């Protein structure tokens, strides 16, 4: 079954609002086994909206329209859909009661006449109750196809989709798609893809798809099955094969778990404490770590030592080291990671020093050169990296490589 997403709103076209609804709905439709070939955004113009909806119905089985269900004159989604299907709008008493109850519940003030516009429903349509706003959703079934109208606010759309639309669509699908994510760090996308090219070439069900992230590679394993148990049975051999080929490069199979969460989990399991010493990343590394809930159990202190004087004063980096090798060097990175352990008493220290750009590079030390040091219980490892992005990307890559090195050394 083919689904099409039709987002309504001039504010989307102008970029005033980011279309997060389309992102959410695309993922949900894929998980339900629907094929989605088109996503369209159209402004609050009745003629263009009508043309777009007619085109969508010609090429898709289900059209999911979002937005345009409000009480004002420019909210035209229901009116347009009803007109395309040749249906009159009639007052739905149940929806009218729901709107009145919502106003009373949230103390939204007096109900104006235009609010009752939202209770006007295409004749014969399925009404989807909205427990989080005033605009009910609607499903119009016509010529073996369906138009699903959902309110634009994500806080209303998402619960309505989960409660009403997902079961409706699932009942029309004999099979659904189930996915698991295998996340790797410490390997590039091209190298990772080369190692699984034979699996990709031979795939049927389940399928394997690589996705590149900054400093990470994710493999999405997807199976088409009648239920989750059957999907797990189909995916298990492929996931085992990925572990066989990549081993410890895989840091999680939880789609929602981040690299920094895995690092913090490892620190807790080992009973280790951590301190950071940053130069070119300017606190980005400690910020990523502090985003993790429960970090206070393991994180002692973080230093941003941008100037040489700060490296000497706060971390004990030797003046002669800076004079002989420079701030961006293996030697300085080593003394930074060892120094932060000494001054904080942490079991683990991580340091980053480099040239993020766009200026400051030389032939010997170009922009993108970064040294990362990691000390665990007195043992230190320093790695050299050459990144080729802009200033922001170089700093972001440095953070991910630092987290990767932390994980490797803790393991």
């Amino acid at each position: 079954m083919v689904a099409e997403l039709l987002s309504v709103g001039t504010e989307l076209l102008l970029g005033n609002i980011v279309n997060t609804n389309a992102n959410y709905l695309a993922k949900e439709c894929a998980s339900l086994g629907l094929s989605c070939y088109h996503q369209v955004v159209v402004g609050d113009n009745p003629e263009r909206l009508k043309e777009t909806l007619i085109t969508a119905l010609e090429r898709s089985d289900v059209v999911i329209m979002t937005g345009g269900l409000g009480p004002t004159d420019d909210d035209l989604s229901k009116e347009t859909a009803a007109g395309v299907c040749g249906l009159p709008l009639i007052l739905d008493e149940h929806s009218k009661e729901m709107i009145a109850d919502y106003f009373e519940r949230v103390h939204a003030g007096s109900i104006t006449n235009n609010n009752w516009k939202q209770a006007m429903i295409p004749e014969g349509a399925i009404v989807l109750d909205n427990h989080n706003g005033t605009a009910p959703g609607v499903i119009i079934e016509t010529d073996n196809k369906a138009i699903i109208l959902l309110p634009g606010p994500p806080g209303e759309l998402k619960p309505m989709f989960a409660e009403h639309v997902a079961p409706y669509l699932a009942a029309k699908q004999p099979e659904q798609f189930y996915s698991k994510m295998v996340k790797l760090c410490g390997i590039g996308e091209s190298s990772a893809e080369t190692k699984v090219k034979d699996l990709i070439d031979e795939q049927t069900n389940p399928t394997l798809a690589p996705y590149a992230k900054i400093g990470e590679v994710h493999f999405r394993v997807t199976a088409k099955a009648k239920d989750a148990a059957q999907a797990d049975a189909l995916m298990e051999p492929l996931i085992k094969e990925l572990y066989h080929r990549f081993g410890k490069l895989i840091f999680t199979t939880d789609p929602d778990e981040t690299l920094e969460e895995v690092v913090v989990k490892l620190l807790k399991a080992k009973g280790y404490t951590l301190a950071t010493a940053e130069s070119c990343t300017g606190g980005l590394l400690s910020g990523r770590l502090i985003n993790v809930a429960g970090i206070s159990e393991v994180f002692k202190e973080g230093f941003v030592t941008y100037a040489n004087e700060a490296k000497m004063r706060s971390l004990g980096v030797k003046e002669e080291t800076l004079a002989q090798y420079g701030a961006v060097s293996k030697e300085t990175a080593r003394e930074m990671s060892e120094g932060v352990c000494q001054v904080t008493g942490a079991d683990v220290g991580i340091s980053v020093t480099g040239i993020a750009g766009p200026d400051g590079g030389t032939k010997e030390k170009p922009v993108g050169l970064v040294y990362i040091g990691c000390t665990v219980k007195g043992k230190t490892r320093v790695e050299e990296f050459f990144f080729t992005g802009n200033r922001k990307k170089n700093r972001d890559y440095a953070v991910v490589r630092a987290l990767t090195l932390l994980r490797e050394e803790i393991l």
Side-chain angles (χ1 to χ4, degrees):
M1 190 160 63
V2 177
E4 182 159 337
L5 305 182
L6 176 50
S7 305
V8 182
T10 302
E11 66 277 9
L12 296 171
L13 287 175
L14 296 176
N16 294 332
I17 296 177
V18 177
N19 194 358
T20 58
N21 286 339
N23 174 263
Y24 167 79
L25 291 171
K27 290 180 179 178
E28 293 299 313
C29 286
S31 70
L32 289 165
L34 280 74
S35 300
C36 186
Y37 302 135
H38 296 90
Q39 292 184 20
V40 183
V41 179
V42 63
D44 300 307
N45 178 281
E47 288 304 315
R48 285 193 288 272
L49 180 55
K50 178 181 177 181
E51 292 172 4
T52 305
L53 177 57
I54 290 172
T55 301
L57 285 170
E58 288 173 350
R59 63 193 180 193
S60 303
D61 303 301
V62 177
V63 180
I64 303 177
M65 297 177 63
T66 59
L69 299 182
T72 60
D73 290 339
D74 62 345
D75 291 307
L76 301 169
S77 293
K78 265 188 310 189
E79 291 78 0
T80 302
V84 168
C85 298
L87 298 172
L89 290 171
I90 60 174
L91 181 66
D92 181 65
E93 292 293 343
H94 173 70
S95 295
K96 185 177 180 180
E97 291 175 7
M98 291 280 293
I99 292 170
D101 289 343
Y102 179 83
F103 268 82
E104 184 177 353
R105 189 170 73 250
V106 302
H107 306 290
S110 301
I111 302 176
T112 57
N113 285 333
N114 60 356
N115 285 116
W116 302 130
K117 173 179 180 286
Q118 295 178 294
M120 300 298 292
I121 304 297
E123 188 175 28
I126 301 169
V127 179
L128 311 178
D129 289 344
N130 186 348
H131 302 291
N132 302 283
T134 56
V138 174
I139 300 176
I140 304 172
E141 296 179 325
T142 176
D143 296 330
N144 295 318
K145 298 193 176 189
I147 305 171
I148 301 174
L149 297 101
L150 300 174
E156 299 175 33
L157 178 145
K158 291 181 179 180
M160 186 180 291
F161 186 92
E163 181 180 355
H164 301 294
V165 181
Y168 172 83
L169 294 174
K172 295 181 175 294
Q173 288 287 96
E175 293 181 308
Q176 297 183 36
F177 287 107
Y178 298 85
S179 295
K180 290 189 176 180
M181 193 71 78
V182 179
K183 299 183 180 182
L184 291 75
C185 61
I187 187 172
E189 180 189 15
S190 57
S191 297
E193 190 170 0
T194 299
K195 286 180 176 289
V196 296
K197 189 176 184 305
D198 60 314
L199 299 177
I200 294 174
D201 290 342
E202 297 168 6
Q203 64 186 355
T204 52
N205 185 29
T207 60
L208 182 67
Y211 298 86
K213 301 286 185 179
I214 291 181
E216 300 178 20
V217 177
H218 297 179
F219 286 111
R220 182 182 293 278
V221 180
T222 304
K224 189 175 184 179
K226 63 181 180 180
D227 54 39
Q230 185 184 59
D232 286 341
L234 288 168
M235 290 187 283
E236 184 180 6
L238 182 52
I239 292 174
K240 281 186 177 180
E241 181 60 24
L242 291 176
Y243 268 100
H244 174 71
R245 298 189 185 196
F246 293 104
K248 289 185 177 181
L249 293 176
I250 298 174
F251 66 87
T252 187
T253 56
D254 182 341
D256 298 318
E257 190 170 42
T258 64
L259 180 55
E260 55 266 32
E261 288 173 334
V262 170
V263 168
V264 171
K265 189 183 294 184
L266 284 172
L267 288 165
K268 290 180 179 180
K270 294 277 190 178
Y272 290 166
T273 55
L274 171 69
T276 60
E278 302 178 65
S279 183
C280 65
T281 47
L284 288 177
L285 174 59
S286 57
R288 282 275 294 265
L289 289 162
I290 290 170
N291 279 337
V292 180
I295 185 66
S296 58
E297 296 178 34
V298 296
F299 190 78
K300 292 181 74 72
E301 198 166 355
F303 292 83
V304 177
T305 54
Y306 209 73
N308 285 352
E309 293 81 1
K311 292 178 177 66
M312 292 186 290
R313 181 181 65 254
S314 300
L315 303 174
V317 176
K318 298 182 181 66
E319 185 175 4
E320 52 267 32
T321 300
L322 293 166
Q324 183 175 354
Y325 302 106
V328 181
S329 64
K330 284 187 176 182
E331 292 77 10
T332 297
R334 176 180 294 275
E335 292 188 15
M336 287 173 67
S337 68
E338 292 175 349
V340 80
C341 287
Q342 292 171 4
V343 299
T344 64
D347 302 299
V348 181
I350 187 78
S351 67
V352 185
T353 181
I355 306 168
D359 304 316
T362 65
K363 185 178 180 180
E364 293 76 19
K365 294 185 178 182
V367 169
L369 173 64
V370 174
Y371 291 98
I372 301 175
C374 184
T375 301
V376 179
K377 290 289 188 177
K379 182 181 177 182
T380 303
R381 173 183 165 192
V382 180
E383 291 292 329
E384 178 185 70
F385 299 94
F386 291 93
F387 304 127
T388 57
N390 57 27
R391 182 177 180 83
K392 181 181 184 305
K393 282 193 174 181
N394 288 338
R395 297 172 75 217
D396 289 340
Y397 273 110
V399 169
V400 176
R401 289 298 185 183
L403 290 170
T404 301
L405 183 59
L406 258 176
R407 175 179 172 269
E408 290 174 356
E409 291 307 289
I410 295 169
L411 285 173

